[in-house]
Amino acid sequence: MRPHSGTLVVDISREKAEHYEGVYQCTARNDHGTAVSHDIIIRQSRSPLWSKERNEPIVVQEGVSLVLQCRPPAGLPPPIIFWMANNFQRLPQSSRVSQALNGDLYFSNVLREDSRNDYICHARFPHTQTIQQKQPITVRVLNLDAINETMADFYNETDLFSEAPVDERKPTFLTPLGPSSSKMVLRGQVLVLECIAEGLPTPEVSWTKVSGELPALRSSFLHHHKTLHIVNVSESDAGEYRCSALNRLGSAHHTISVDVKAAPYWIAGPPRNLVLAPRETGFLTCRASGTPKPTITWSMNGISIENSPKDPSRKVEDDTIIFTEVQTGSSAVYQCNVSNHYGYLLSNAFVNVLSEPPRVLTEANRVYQVIRNTRAMMDCSSFGSPIPKITWFKDSRSSTLDGEPYIFHDNGTLEVHVAQSHYSGKYTCVARNSLGTYENHVYLEVKEPTRILKQPEYMVVQRGRSAVFECKVKHDPSLIPTMTWLKDNDELPDDERFLVDSDSLTITGVAEGDAGVYTCIMNTSLDQDSASAELTVVEATPTPAVIYERPEPPTDLELTDQKERSVQLTWTPGDENNSPIQKFLVQYEDSLHHRGHWHNLTEVPGTRTTVHLQLSPYVHYTFRVLALNAVGFSRPSLPSRMYKTKPAAPDENPTGVKGQGTEHDNLVISWKPLTALQANGPQLQYKVMWRQKEAEEWTFVVVSNVSRFVVLTTPTFTPYEVKVQALNELGSGPEPATVRGHSGEDLPVEAPDSVQVKVLNSTLAEVHWDPVPLKSIRGRLQGYKVYYWRERSLHEHHQHHTHHMQKQILTFSENHTQGVLPGLTPFSLYACTVRVFNGRGEGPPSTKQHFKTPEGAVASRQVDIATQGWFIGLMCAIALLILVLLIICFIQRNKGGKYPVKEKEDAHTDPEFQPMKDEDCTFGEYSDNEDHKPLKGSRTPSSATVKRDGSDDSLVDYGEGGDGQFNEDGSFIGQYSGKSAGRDTAEGHESSEAPSPVNAMNSLHSFV
């Protein structure tokens, strides 16, 4: 027994299943009584082997009848029989060859092509999902000449059979035998009648009910009319049924007498729980019917009432228990058992003897707001024992409310059928019984309706002009209104040309695309009102004398060429009113289903005045025609005469078929119902079919006036195939498409196993787990959730300090079996669990795993030099220095001054001399290869030479190098060179002397 569930789990893995066969019953009891369940019968499924046998070949003469017997072994549940060939293909069946209900294969007459050696009967046992097959049967069909030749070879004689060939013959029945038989069926089940006839030519089978008509919506014919099915059998289906077999030589008849029995069924539902106050009177009723009449027995707390403690306040009268002057302490659970030979009903009803003063459960001081002239409902839900009596008062407690305009409901609700303003006010409901009184106050506010006083009007506007639709509204001042405008029942375009005011819509610069129907809707929290008008956009008219108007309506509508699903409609056009007719719109009214509503049917070019209309069955059509020109539609024509189409079977099935569960043990099959126009006939119903995937047989039910059906007690998250077919009195729709779905999901029952945690560092860990078995998920796997939390620190001074354990959750997809746990606290003890989850929710947690994080490294203080103030100041000073030097360079060049670098050069030109570049204001390079001469006027170093690389803190750099730049310490490295005196003057008159670095420094100092 599972704890706290009442579910009994039997483990048959170590014992034989047949040890647990029997009848089980569940009993639930507490201090108030005992309830019992229905009997639960457990039997082991059985699929016995086929007995070994040797099938001799069957040799028959062409034209005779033949029966191939199957005789499968008896199984539990019984097997499903089908015949197949060696290639695992089903043997073809027809009106001549068919399989009977008992599994035998019947031939009304045999032909030469029936000869084969692989007639194999298969038995499929559905519960164990096993298939067994009988030994193949060989059939040889010979004509008379072939038989004589065969037997002559065998006996060395001739003309062994001298009879004439098999002649044609009138039908006789192979099953059932004799002129009549009988059949018993239970109410609510399926009646299956079978007649198989033989004859030559092959006879056709038909069915009639001798004492009435076959139920059109519940009956169907299978196996080429050899089998009659009637679903949901009732007592009216009892009687005599006749099957007739007919060919051109005659007929045969068989009468089957059907007797309908009924297992017990409730007439007005099972007994209901009863709450009584001490010394009160009440009764339990267990009213049921059945055929034969069922027997009713009563029990109290699971014990026969005859053997229960005597109670003078209780009296049993057949299907009723009467309680009189009950006493405290006599509460109990009573069981009603209704049974006959074909079944039983069992129901529990709790009789609670209780003393409880009244309470009103409706919210106190609740305000009900309604619109004038509508219905008002004020609740007064109460509880008490004895059952409280409810009375209502308005405003003062002077007199109780009674009669018009008030309606009092059994549940305490007060209804005002047509609310008026003077009904507003405070209402008091009083609940009273012998133990006390309780009252509750509610308030009714009757508001004025919202009404559009000035509606928008039809407008014809020239392109480029403005259009203004007015919509003035009156509403209750205490309600906040909201104005909404629609164009062609959709939102207004997102265009600044559309200006919405409190009571108008303005469209500026009207374009052709603005034409349409505009609707203003005024909403409040209680009601709304709406009005529409059409905008027609036309071209600007240069000649104002011409008046363009809508065309006149067509006339003289006439219906010709009338057929079941089509008719020819012709008409005479009205005056165009200076604007050519662009098209005609044909509308229809269905006075059978939607009287007073006109629907668009088709459009016809303006050059035609006739159209062939395709119609639907079971519609009472009336047609009218409208003409359209550039201004707009004409008024509708006068209606045509009515044209009625005959009903027919549906042409289509419902769309949007789905099959999905909402609970763990159900399958909800839903669909989009057909419209009255699609029904094609009266009594539209739906045949809802379902089966588990891979199952052979379909289960079905016929429903009406619904768009969904709930299949109960389904296995959890099991694939199903569903389909929905439309029916009416004339027949069925086409074969519906099969849609796949699943029954509902349930919570997973197993936790992930082998959970392991690998610590990667002081703040990161990796968790691994094994996936759970798919069967335990009981739904569509969504993924895994890892719960982890810090339990305590591992530092000694923190070990006994209790912290609030806040769980963190990480979610991983279904294909993950590992994950990383980030953001861990170093040197701590952590715990984690893993759960699997599906669309229903999470399963149980895995075993808690503990892990420890190591101590973390102490982060050293690092100083970012780029953020230090002194470094920023130094960089700014260097930048300023560069800017000053560039300014000095520019000034000196503009003055044309000469900067002596050395004494006048030799007369010949140094080939390595490089002039200074004007465009970038940089100094050219100077190199004398060997003679490192000092600049004129400069101080000479002690070595009497100037080094090529120079000093790090000098402003002057001699020799080759790049442009001026700064060293790493921020000092400036400049390059100076002059032009040779011997260079051609054509190259310019610039000074040949480089500026002295000392002078440059002095200039810098003076500038600063």
Side-chain angles (χ1 to χ4, degrees):
M1 179 85 72
R2 285 183 180 171
H4 311 296
S5 71
T7 300
L8 178 65
V9 180
V10 179
D11 185 5
I12 61 173
S13 59
R14 296 183 178 88
E15 297 187 43
K16 293 183 178 179
E18 54 263 26
H19 292 169
Y20 296 97
E21 289 187 331
V23 181
Y24 294 76
Q25 191 174 47
C26 171
T27 301
R29 60 171 55 90
N30 63 12
D31 294 340
H32 299 287
T34 301
V36 297
S37 72
H38 286 77
D39 290 343
I40 303 171
I41 301 174
I42 296 181
R43 296 183 63 187
Q44 182 186 8
S45 62
R46 292 177 173 83
S47 53
L49 298 176
W50 220 304
S51 59
K52 295 294 184 180
E53 61 180 348
R54 177 181 176 83
N55 294 324
E56 297 295 335
I58 299 174
V59 180
V60 294
Q61 184 178 356
E62 184 178 16
V64 300
S65 62
L66 176 64
V67 180
L68 300 183
Q69 295 181 340
C70 180
R71 296 180 181 176
L76 186 65
I80 299 171
I81 306 301
F82 52 95
W83 288 80
M84 300 181 72
N86 273 333
N87 57 1
F88 296 101
Q89 296 294 321
R90 285 184 177 267
L91 294 175
Q93 298 190 24
S94 63
S95 58
R96 186 179 63 85
V97 182
S98 60
Q99 177 183 315
L101 296 177
N102 65 355
D104 292 348
L105 192 63
Y106 282 77
F107 295 78
S108 296
N109 52 77
V110 294
L111 303 176
R112 291 291 297 274
E113 59 260 28
D114 295 328
S115 296
R116 59 192 306 156
N117 59 1
D118 59 350
Y119 286 94
I120 305 173
C121 182
H122 292 74
R124 181 171 70 84
F125 297 89
H127 193 77
T128 59
Q129 295 297 318
T130 58
I131 297 178
Q132 299 183 28
Q133 67 180 48
K134 186 175 183 175
Q135 292 296 320
I137 300 175
T138 299
V139 173
R140 303 171 84 191
V141 180
L142 305 176
N143 60 21
L144 186 60
D145 294 336
I147 294 177
N148 283 330
E149 292 174 3
T150 301
M151 301 308 294
D153 292 340
F154 186 76
Y155 291 104
N156 197 19
E157 296 181 10
T158 59
D159 292 335
L160 184 64
F161 295 100
S162 58
E163 294 88 354
V166 174
D167 293 330
E168 294 183 346
R169 60 190 181 279
K170 68 178 185 178
T172 58
F173 283 105
L174 297 174
T175 182
L177 300 175
S180 63
S181 60
S182 62
K183 177 82 172 182
M184 190 277 291
V185 65
L186 291 181
R187 177 182 182 270
Q189 293 186 351
V190 179
L191 172 63
V192 182
L193 303 178
E194 180 183 54
C195 282
I196 301 178
E198 66 90 20
L200 189 65
T202 302
E204 297 293 332
V205 177
S206 61
W207 292 87
T208 57
K209 186 177 182 183
V210 177
S211 55
E213 298 290 333
L214 293 175
L217 296 179
R218 295 186 293 111
S219 60
S220 60
F221 304 99
L222 303 177
H223 308 133
H224 302 277
H225 273 237
K226 298 177 185 179
T227 306
L228 170 63
H229 273 222
I230 299 179
V231 300
N232 195 20
V233 170
S234 64
E235 287 81 355
S236 63
D237 296 319
E240 292 185 345
Y241 293 79
R242 176 176 296 168
C243 62
S244 301
L246 176 68
N247 66 11
R248 63 172 174 259
L249 299 181
S251 62
H253 305 281
H254 184 92
T255 301
I256 304 175
S257 179
V258 174
D259 187 16
V260 177
K261 303 293 185 181
Y265 58 92
W266 299 116
I267 296 176
R272 298 180 180 178
N273 296 336
L274 184 61
V275 178
L276 297 174
R279 307 189 63 80
E280 206 173 21
T281 298
F283 57 88
L284 285 180
T285 301
C286 181
R287 193 149 297 162
S289 183
T291 306
K293 183 179 179 180
T295 301
I296 298 176
T297 59
W298 289 92
S299 300
M300 187 184 77
N301 294 331
I303 302 174
S304 172
I305 203 163
E306 291 81 4
N307 299 325
S308 300
K310 301 299 181 182
D311 185 349
S313 66
R314 181 183 66 226
K315 181 180 180 182
V316 179
E317 292 185 356
D318 194 20
D319 62 356
T320 303
I321 299 181
I322 302 173
F323 299 93
T324 306
E325 298 285 329
V326 295
Q327 301 298 320
T328 303
S330 58
S331 299
V333 179
Y334 288 84
Q335 288 83 34
C336 168
N337 187 307
V338 186
S339 61
N340 65 11
H341 182 69
Y342 301 105
Y344 78 100
L345 298 172
L346 178 65
S347 178
N348 294 275
F350 179 39
V351 177
N352 189 9
V353 180
L354 179 67
S355 295
E356 186 74 20
R359 286 179 291 160
V360 174
L361 307 180
T362 301
E363 177 186 358
N365 299 316
R366 183 174 179 180
V367 178
Y368 294 89
Q369 294 183 334
V370 297
I371 296 296
R372 181 167 53 85
N373 293 328
T374 64
R375 183 176 64 174
M377 304 281 286
M378 290 172 283
D379 296 330
C380 185
S381 176
S382 64
F383 177 79
S385 181
I387 297 175
K389 179 182 178 182
I390 304 298
T391 54
W392 282 90
F393 300 89
K394 183 178 184 299
D395 298 330
S396 64
R397 297 282 296 272
S398 57
S399 61
T400 60
L401 299 179
D402 191 16
E404 289 291 339
Y406 301 106
I407 301 173
F408 301 91
H409 294 268
D410 293 340
N411 62 356
T413 298
L414 175 65
E415 176 184 347
V416 181
H417 190 62
V418 181
Q420 300 297 327
S421 300
H422 61 272
Y423 294 149
S424 298
K426 175 183 175 182
Y427 287 79
T428 302
C429 81
V430 178
R432 182 182 290 106
N433 68 8
S434 59
L435 300 179
T437 301
Y438 193 104
E439 66 179 42
N440 189 49
H441 306 294
V442 297
Y443 297 87
L444 177 64
E445 297 179 356
V446 180
K447 306 291 185 180
E448 288 299 312
T450 302
R451 291 291 179 264
I452 296 178
L453 303 179
K454 182 174 178 55
Q455 300 185 359
E457 297 179 350
Y458 170 78
M459 298 188 68
V460 179
V461 178
Q462 294 180 357
R463 188 172 60 179
R465 301 286 184 89
S466 295
V468 179
F469 289 108
E470 289 187 303
C471 187
K472 297 186 182 298
V473 181
K474 177 184 178 182
H475 61 87
D476 192 287
S478 65
L479 299 177
I480 300 176
T482 302
M483 174 70 78
T484 304
W485 284 89
L486 302 178
K487 178 181 182 292
D488 296 330
N489 292 324
D490 204 352
E491 295 182 356
L492 290 178
D494 186 11
D495 192 330
E496 61 184 7
R497 296 183 300 108
F498 290 79
L499 306 176
V500 178
D501 204 350
S502 60
D503 55 3
S504 66
L505 169 65
T506 302
I507 308 173
T508 61
V510 170
E512 292 180 359
D514 298 334
V517 176
Y518 289 84
T519 304
C520 70
I521 303 175
M522 177 61 75
N523 286 287
T524 68
S525 58
L526 297 180
D527 68 339
Q528 72 170 33
D529 196 13
S530 63
S532 300
E534 185 178 359
L535 172 62
T536 300
V537 180
V538 297
E539 294 291 337
T541 55
T543 308
V546 179
I547 300 176
Y548 298 95
E549 294 182 351
R550 293 185 291 172
E552 299 301 322
T555 58
D556 303 328
L557 273 64
E558 184 178 358
L559 300 177
T560 59
D561 192 19
Q562 300 174 6
K563 298 180 181 178
E564 286 191 0
R565 294 206 182 190
S566 65
V567 70
Q568 189 84 10
L569 175 64
T570 59
W571 62 89
T572 301
D575 193 338
E576 295 180 345
N577 287 334
N578 299 317
S579 179
I581 294 178
Q582 300 171 355
K583 64 181 178 181
F584 294 97
L585 175 63
V586 180
Q587 296 181 328
Y588 74 92
E589 177 195 29
D590 178 8
S591 58
L592 180 61
H593 303 105
H594 299 97
R595 180 181 294 274
H597 294 270
W598 288 91
H599 309 273
N600 295 341
L601 181 58
T602 188
E603 294 181 351
V604 182
T607 56
R608 296 174 52 188
T609 59
T610 183
V611 64
H612 192 75
L613 302 176
Q614 298 297 323
L615 307 180
S616 297
Y618 196 53
V619 178
H620 294 179
Y621 283 101
T622 303
F623 303 100
R624 70 183 186 184
V625 183
L626 294 84
L628 174 70
N629 63 10
V631 180
F633 276 104
S634 69
R635 299 189 309 278
S637 68
L638 294 176
S640 70
R641 61 182 176 85
M642 185 178 293
Y643 183 66
K644 299 180 180 180
T645 56
K646 296 180 179 179
D651 295 323
E652 55 186 309
N653 291 312
T655 58
V657 178
K658 297 179 182 178
Q660 55 189 18
T662 58
E663 300 293 339
H664 68 89
D665 59 350
N666 78 359
L667 172 69
V668 179
I669 303 173
S670 60
W671 60 91
K672 181 181 179 182
L674 299 182
T675 64
L677 196 64
Q678 296 170 312
N680 284 7
Q683 300 297 322
L684 174 63
Q685 293 183 311
Y686 302 100
K687 183 178 182 181
V688 184
M689 295 167 275
W690 68 93
R691 68 180 179 187
Q692 291 189 26
K693 188 179 178 182
E694 309 299 340
E696 185 89 11
E697 298 293 330
W698 291 87
T699 304
F700 69 93
V701 66
V702 177
V703 298
S704 59
N705 299 322
V706 295
S707 60
R708 58 180 300 211
F709 179 78
V710 181
V711 182
L712 301 176
T713 65
T714 63
T716 302
F717 196 65
T718 300
Y720 273 84
E721 293 180 332
V722 301
K723 52 186 180 180
V724 181
Q725 186 179 33
L727 313 171
N728 62 22
E729 282 189 353
L730 278 300
S732 306
E735 179 64 24
T738 300
V739 177
R740 294 187 176 181
H742 279 82
S743 56
E745 300 182 59
D746 205 348
L747 295 176
V749 296
E750 292 191 20
D753 202 0
S754 302
V755 177
Q756 297 180 352
V757 180
K758 178 181 178 182
V759 179
L760 302 180
N761 56 38
S762 61
T763 62
L764 202 64
E766 191 175 72
V767 61
H768 296 257
W769 62 87
D770 288 343
V772 298
L774 290 178
K775 185 176 181 181
S776 70
I777 298 174
R778 304 201 296 180
R780 186 170 284 106
L781 175 61
Q782 302 286 339
Y784 297 85
K785 291 187 179 181
V786 178
Y787 291 75
Y788 65 101
W789 62 94
R790 180 174 182 250
E791 292 194 340
R792 60 182 175 84
S793 171
L794 296 179
H795 291 287
E796 293 182 0
H797 58 283
H798 288 310
Q799 283 188 356
H800 301 291
H801 186 67
T802 302
H803 293 278
H804 175 65
M805 294 186 294
Q806 181 177 4
K807 292 187 178 180
Q808 300 186 62
I809 306 173
L810 291 177
T811 303
F812 300 91
S813 59
E814 67 275 10
N815 55 354
H816 280 71
T817 57
Q818 66 181 47
V820 175
L821 308 182
L824 305 179
T825 302
F827 208 52
S828 299
L829 177 64
Y830 274 86
C832 76
T833 61
V834 183
R835 297 172 181 251
V836 65
F837 70 96
N838 58 20
R840 184 81 175 189
E842 298 178 11
S846 65
T847 303
K848 184 165 65 174
Q849 298 293 321
H850 287 89
F851 62 94
K852 300 176 181 179
T853 56
E855 291 183 286
V858 180
S860 61
R861 261 184 95 183
Q862 297 181 352
V863 178
D864 188 355
I865 190 171
T867 64
Q868 301 303 305
W870 64 267
F871 181 80
I872 296 173
L874 177 61
M875 291 297 102
C876 291
I878 293 173
L880 179 62
L881 179 60
I882 294 174
L883 179 61
V884 171
L885 288 175
L886 291 175
I887 294 173
I888 294 172
C889 172
F890 183 79
I891 294 173
Q892 293 297 333
R893 283 180 56 80
N894 286 341
K895 288 182 178 181
K898 298 183 181 292
Y899 303 107
V901 178
K902 59 188 176 90
E903 296 297 329
K904 283 189 174 183
E905 300 291 344
D906 296 334
H908 60 85
T909 303
D910 189 343
E912 295 186 4
F913 175 77
Q914 302 258 347
M916 184 173 66
K917 301 177 182 178
D918 294 342
E919 61 271 18
D920 57 3
C921 197
T922 59
F923 298 101
E925 297 179 344
Y926 176 85
S927 175
D928 56 3
N929 291 336
E930 296 179 0
D931 299 331
H932 302 286
K933 298 180 180 180
L935 294 172
K936 183 178 181 179
S938 67
R939 295 183 179 179
T940 306
S942 59
S943 61
T945 62
V946 180
K947 296 297 183 182
R948 228 176 132 178
D949 54 357
S951 172
D952 286 346
D953 57 357
S954 174
L955 289 173
V956 183
D957 186 293
Y958 292 87
E960 298 178 353
D963 297 334
Q965 58 183 353
F966 288 101
N967 279 337
E968 293 179 355
D969 60 357
S971 62
F972 182 81
I973 302 174
Q975 296 178 352
Y976 303 85
S977 63
K979 291 184 179 180
S980 173
R983 189 168 298 276
D984 195 339
T985 58
E987 296 180 5
H989 299 283
E990 296 182 2
S991 173
S992 62
E993 297 178 354
S996 167
V998 178
N999 294 336
M1001 182 62 78
N1002 292 335
S1003 299
L1004 176 62
H1005 285 298
S1006 64
F1007 180 82
V1008 176

